[in-house]
Amino acid sequence: MLLLTNAKILTFDENMTIIEDGAIFIENGTIKDIGNTEELEMKYPDAVFKNVKNKIVMPGLINTHTHLYSTFARGMDLKDKPPSNFVEILKKLWWRLDNTLNEKDIYYSALFAICECIRNGVTTIFDHHASYNYIDGSLDIIADAVKRCGIRANLSYEISDRHGKEKSQAAIKENERFIRKVQLIKNSHLKGLIGLHASFTLEDETLKTVSELSQELNIPIHVHVAEGIQDYQDSVKRGYNGVIDRLNRFNILNPGSLLVHGVHIQKEEIDALKRSGSYLIHNPESNMNNAVGASPIKSFIENNIVTGLGTDAYTHDMFESIKMANLLYKHESKDPRVGWNEVYDMAFINNKKIASRFFDKKLGSIEKGLPADLIVVDYSSPTPIEKENVFAHILFGMNGSMVQTVLVDGKILMDNREVTFLDYEQLRRKTQKQARDFWKRF
């Protein structure tokens, strides 16, 4: 039994309730009671009291698209001329990287990245993995890192024909094997989706096979969609109206599928996207970094397409992604009035909806009966924090480095900026050593 006391609680419930001098009573991983500190201290005298000293307590953040395998890319020499467009970025960096990863690389890349998520207040992630030098069992390696760290993670393997049919078939089998495994063990922290890279690296036969597997397992797809203009152009060359049209013809766009990026989705495809019941995941920083353009977020929102927010592993700090999504929306719209409600909905309503669907329990809120996935943020505001201005404080005041304490299912994963389940400095040293070995092989 744990009692967090003396907190300013931002519940992110339907009414955006704020509790001053609040306390949260946690038992068996669940929020059992919320209220005034003095009252709950008297009500639960046998609990372990943890005084958070007037800091902010809010739900753990959710990242609906990331790549844990990308850790070793930071600071790496490509040993080649700098890529000048999106396809060159894929060929010179990411496809070489994923074709170099070995078992040890996968583990340390994932373990360190998950720790970075925790250190930035992210408690739930949707990961999209590729390691074409090591396919079979690769998702189990990541799952081991997830279990060690204690977060919630939905994992998928990125199926692609770019390395040939034999490897794409192995990738399909890896998704199927892992999904059947997690369905059997029913771990509330570990789930799976069927991963696809992007339409322009997939043949029709592969899409047909994946569609049949999706229906058999009753599991949606996690796929990159129209990130670069080349994806759209490839679909047109194959005789389709665009990426959405092609994927829709193969029943890839099912309710709950995660369509990532969507930068070059065409206006005439929006209606089909809306009817599909799929989710669109926006990754603003990655799109700008790759110079692929900006997603037509306004069109998605106007057509009631549920749009979530991810990072594409450009960062593990969702506060940073939230800020950039707001700025990009304003910049593209040339209107300083927009972005407020839209980005708030992406991060704190739609991400919650998406995660809650796949983890079979409501996440992203502080309410009685919900999992105790909480973060304590050391944010000292010069102005009042009220329900009408919470998002403004997040945009202009908070960042991931302010996160002091992180709990998932009531278990403390980080306290006073120190992760509790491993020696972080030792992990950093081991990861750097592994990175140097990886760079030699790259």
Side-chain angles (χ1 to χ4, degrees), residues 373-388:
D373 293 7
L374 311 170
I375 61 175
V376 179
V377 184
D378 188 10
Y379 170 61
S380 180
S381 171
T383 58
I385 302 175
E386 299 166 343
K387 62 184 298 182
E388 294 80 11

Side-chain angles (χ1 to χ4, degrees), residues 99-306:
N99 206 29
T100 305
L101 292 166
N102 63 27
E103 181 178 3
K104 205 170 180 181
D105 298 329
I106 295 167
Y107 181 71
Y108 278 103
S109 181
L111 190 61
F112 187 85
I114 293 169
C115 284
E116 290 299 285
C117 291
I118 292 168
R119 284 163 58 85
N120 285 286
V122 175
T123 56
T124 299
I125 63 170
F126 286 72
D127 185 57
H128 202 244
H129 177 68
S131 53
Y132 275 91
N133 185 49
Y134 194 105
I135 300 173
D136 187 30
S138 59
L139 295 182
D140 284 344
I141 297 170
I142 299 171
D144 287 342
V146 169
K147 292 172 188 175
R148 184 173 181 185
C149 297
I151 66 165
R152 300 184 198 275
N154 186 301
L155 310 181
S156 58
Y157 192 99
E158 177 188 289
I159 300 163
S160 173
D161 289 306
R162 64 181 179 264
H163 296 298
K165 185 175 180 179
E166 183 179 340
K167 289 197 173 185
S168 71
Q169 289 299 311
I172 292 170
K173 290 179 181 178
E174 176 63 4
N175 278 287
E176 180 180 5
R177 181 198 65 77
F178 181 76
I179 289 168
R180 291 191 186 279
K181 179 178 179 178
V182 296
Q183 286 178 334
L184 187 64
I185 63 176
K186 296 181 180 179
N187 186 327
S188 65
H189 285 216
L190 203 57
K191 302 294 178 182
L193 289 171
I194 300 172
L196 286 174
H197 175 247
S199 174
F200 75 99
T201 72
L202 292 157
E203 300 303 324
D204 287 356
E205 183 181 354
T206 301
L207 289 178
K208 184 175 183 295
T209 301
V210 169
S211 175
E212 291 170 352
L213 179 62
S214 174
Q215 292 175 46
E216 179 186 346
L217 297 175
N218 193 29
I219 291 291
I221 311 294
H222 187 167
V223 54
H224 292 151
V225 172
E227 181 177 3
I229 190 65
Q230 297 85 356
D231 202 11
Y232 165 71
Q233 292 169 340
D234 177 80
S235 289
V236 171
K237 183 184 287 188
R238 294 174 188 261
Y240 301 95
N241 295 327
V243 179
I244 294 298
D245 181 41
R246 183 178 185 221
L247 296 180
N248 204 30
R249 300 278 188 96
F250 288 92
N251 297 314
I252 298 297
L253 306 186
N254 295 316
S257 286
L258 301 187
L259 312 186
V260 184
H261 300 296
V263 176
H264 296 283
I265 289 176
Q266 305 299 298
K267 289 182 179 179
E268 56 270 23
E269 297 181 289
I270 294 290
D271 190 53
L273 174 57
K274 178 181 178 179
R275 291 197 309 270
S276 74
S278 298
Y279 302 127
L280 196 290
I281 310 301
H282 183 37
N283 298 268
E285 291 173 299
S286 173
N287 294 160
M288 286 188 283
N289 183 61
N290 290 330
V292 294
S295 297
I297 298 300
K298 188 173 186 289
S299 293
F300 300 150
I301 292 170
E302 287 176 347
N303 284 277
N304 297 314
I305 294 164
V306 175

